[in-house]
Amino acid sequence: MTQVPVGRLLIGNDRPLTVIAGPCQLESEDHAQMIAGTMKEACAAAGAQYVFKASYDKANRTSLHGKRGLGIDEGLRVLASVAQANDVPVLTDVHTEEQCGLAGDVVDILQIPAFLCRQTDMLLAAGKTGKAVNVKKGQWLAPWEMGNIVDKIKSTGNEKILLTERGTSFGYNALVADMRGLPQMAQTGYPVVMDATHAVASPGGKGTSSGGQREFAPVLARAAVAIGVAAVFMETHEDPDTAPSDGPNMIYLSDMPALVSTLMKFDALAKEHPLTF
């Protein structure tokens, strides 16, 4: 079972849980620092490893008029500031091959969005940076197909690979999370992440934006952690209903300390009694 080094952390399916959390998109440096500081404190209190996440650009918004973020130059500056001030690894999405190199100079984990998970040139560019690469499984993709994606990244000599479940298309504007996919992806030998908040999204469900059911995000997080995963990915905001993107499926920041504490109890049980397949 591969364990992936990220900054001072070691992420693996047989390691203590890592929490990857932050706002959907960067709003300002002060806002990012506030969320990172709050989450670092909550994770430290619960014994969880912590990675800050936020996107400098949301390139796949439902509508042309959706807010996209700070942009790559300002966004990477803010991410570097968050990493330094809080001494935590940072993760962000990339959307083009060129962005892989630019972001790879700053962040610890490059994230490949689900819509781009089979774009060979993107995967190769991300792998060549030498940074950890987190690939979101496409909503149309079977879990066992992720082995092909792993092979593409490994061909660059980079084996710092994370694989994320974020739900499967279930008719129009709906997703379903099949928990069987977590151990199936783990059979690749690489760390598995559960994206508990995007898995409760309703893509395009509001016509010009996505809806969601944030009340079920903790349900999916608890279920996944009880199975035994390397990490859980959760977007959070102090006031999700005013967030510029993904508000309907983000968890209130005030709820995160208790949720992380609960997840660590499930994680301890799962790691003490691991499932074998």
Side-chain angles (χ1 to χ4, degrees):
M1 185 63 65
T2 300
Q3 296 179 344
V4 173
V6 175
R8 298 180 184 178
L9 309 184
L10 197 58
I11 301 175
N13 296 326
D14 55 353
R15 295 277 301 159
L17 186 71
T18 297
V19 173
I20 302 171
C24 178
Q25 64 174 254
L26 289 168
E27 299 176 34
S28 70
E29 182 171 357
D30 287 345
H31 185 256
Q33 295 283 13
M34 181 274 292
I35 291 185
T38 301
M39 285 305 309
K40 180 182 179 181
E41 182 178 344
C43 289
Q49 300 191 130
Y50 176 55
V51 174
F52 176 80
K53 68 79 46 189
S55 298
Y56 53 77
D57 178 21
K58 299 299 293 184
N60 54 1
R61 296 304 308 275
T62 302
S63 166
L64 174 64
H65 305 292
K67 294 181 180 179
R68 292 182 54 168
L70 298 180
I72 191 167
D73 293 334
E74 176 65 4
L76 291 178
R77 186 194 69 77
V78 169
L79 288 168
S81 174
V82 167
Q84 182 175 21
N86 297 278
D87 191 25
V88 296
V90 293
L91 171 153
T92 197
D93 295 290
V94 287
H95 300 93
T96 68
E97 297 159 49
E98 180 185 20
Q99 287 182 10
C100 292
L102 296 172
D105 288 338
V106 175
V107 306
D108 301 278
I109 304 176
L110 298 174
Q111 182 163 276
I112 307 297
F115 291 125
L116 299 175
C117 71
R118 282 179 49 171
Q119 294 295 105
T120 301
D121 291 340
M122 273 283 294
L123 296 169
L124 297 180
K128 288 175 182 176
T129 66
K131 293 299 180 74
V133 182
N134 181 36
V135 185
K136 296 277 193 84
K137 180 178 74 66
Q139 298 92 327
W140 65 92
L141 210 61
W144 47 87
E145 293 182 74
M146 292 296 278
N148 295 319
I149 290 167
V150 166
D151 288 343
K152 292 179 182 182
I153 300 172
K154 283 176 62 178
S155 74
T156 68
N158 186 347
E159 295 200 29
K160 293 187 283 188
I161 302 167
L162 308 173
L163 304 176
T164 295
E165 170 62 57
R166 51 96 11 104
T168 299
S169 294
F170 189 69
Y172 297 121
N173 305 123
L175 299 169
V176 64
D178 182 356
M179 292 296 162
R180 295 175 298 179
L182 300 173
Q184 287 170 333
M185 288 199 295
Q187 289 177 352
T188 62
Y190 289 90
V192 172
V193 183
M194 178 67 202
D195 182 344
T197 45
H198 285 106
V200 299
S202 174
K206 291 187 173 182
T208 58
S209 64
S210 294
Q213 295 176 296
R214 75 169 67 95
E215 66 270 25
F216 292 116
V219 175
L220 294 185
R222 288 166 62 138
V225 173
I227 291 171
V229 292
V232 61
F233 177 111
M234 300 178 287
E235 290 188 331
T236 186
H237 196 280
E238 76 283 2
D239 186 7
D241 291 331
T242 66
S245 61
D246 277 350
N249 48 277
M250 283 203 282
I251 299 171
Y252 279 94
L253 184 62
S254 59
D255 292 338
M256 290 294 273
L259 176 56
V260 172
S261 178
T262 299
L263 293 179
M264 290 308 294
K265 294 180 176 67
F266 281 102
D267 183 66
L269 182 63
K271 302 296 167 62
E272 184 180 353
H273 304 281
L275 294 169
T276 55
F277 293 88

